[in-house]
Amino acid sequence: LGKELATPFILQLHPLVLARLGKAEQAQSALTKYLATSAPASHKSSVRIQVPAWLGELEQASQQLELAATAHAQNVDDLYIVACAAAMSSQAVRAKDTAQADKFADRTFDLLRQCVGQGYRNAENLKAAHHFASLHTDPRLIAILEGIEPPARFAALWRADVEYESKLLAAVPLDKSLADLKSLLDLGYRPFALTVDAPSASSFVLHRPLVPDPAKEKLALEQAAAAVTLLRMNAPERVWPLLQHQADPRLRSYLVSRLAAYGVEPSSLIAQLPIESDVSRRRALILAIGEFAKAGLFTQRGGDFSLSPVLRGEGRGERLC
């Protein structure tokens, strides 16, 4: 290795890679070089265990494992590193010697239980560490994880309900659940049930009433009619927000299509367009003005646009509703 590549991490990996490739002499030479560094003692022990395991020198690997387990028995973090080395040794010999692989696996779980007994609680690390990948389906690892982080347990009765829809936030960390809850509350969901899974996590069930489609249609038509009335009464402040894009577009669509047909003065739309800051509202205003132009309802007086008195129904006794 060149000097520029001889970092402690590279020097640690080098003998392991050579051992996995079956290059015994080169692996031993690289191991000697690594052991001469100032790396932590537990890391050196880990490499001492794994190199002979990958080279098939099982007795030496077992001896190094026991020496390391004794030497690092009082430090939970160092002991965890030794457990990782034992798990990797089990993986290393699995294809050649199943019985010896099982012994390494047994020792791995002994060391992990010892770590947990000394206060180790990093369940996420255990689940994510590649060292234990070959043991993830082993019931003993699952039992250790459940001892550190008990799984959420629920008893529930489910029924078909056409009046509500539900959302489940399962085992959510409390700091994240606040943001998730806020977004669901904004969508109309309300908490229905709560369980505390652990001191730092909870699960929530939220309900939201399901509005039948005919009811949504009726409401959108009523709101569009009310909005048109407000515009004709020269009270548009509460109308402009209705032109904003929504997940359900029917109110916005009804309102845009009815402004021209119901005799709204286009001057109010034209005046709002240059001062409107929301992009979706501006688009709706442009579409609405286009409806006036499409129907040929514009008359121009000087620089102002308005509806023709005849087209507004004046003098004909008509009532727009």
Side-chain angles (χ1 to χ4, degrees), residues 210-229:
L210 277 173
V211 182
D213 200 66
K216 292 181 181 179
E217 193 76 12
K218 181 175 181 291
L219 178 61
L221 288 169
E222 291 174 351
Q223 289 177 321
V228 168
T229 301

Side-chain angles (χ1 to χ4, degrees), residues 12 49 51 62 91 96 110 119 149 166 191 195 235 243 253-254 264 307 314:
Q12 179 181 352
I49 297 166
V51 167
S62 297
Q91 179 181 329
K96 299 177 182 178
D110 290 339
E149 183 183 72
S166 301
T195 179
L243 296 176
S253 299
Y254 286 144
V264 173
L307 287 178
E314 294 180 7

Side-chain angles (χ1 to χ4, degrees), residues 54-93:
W54 285 107
L55 292 174
E57 300 168 1
L58 305 185
E59 185 176 349
Q60 182 181 351
S62 297
Q63 290 175 355
Q64 290 295 332
L65 176 58
E66 296 310 317
L67 288 172
T70 301
H72 303 292
Q74 302 306 313
N75 186 295
V76 66
D77 294 324
D78 291 340
L79 195 62
Y80 174 80
I81 292 173
V82 176
C84 291
M88 290 301 294
S89 298
S90 174
Q91 179 181 329
V93 305

Side-chain angles (χ1 to χ4, degrees), residues 261-273:
Y262 280 64
V264 173
E265 284 287 350
S267 57
S268 61
L269 308 181
I270 295 170
Q272 179 65 18
L273 182 58

Side-chain angles (χ1 to χ4, degrees), residues 147-162:
I148 298 175
E149 183 183 72
R153 301 183 184 278
F154 302 95
L157 176 65
W158 298 92
R159 66 186 178 91
D161 195 333
V162 296

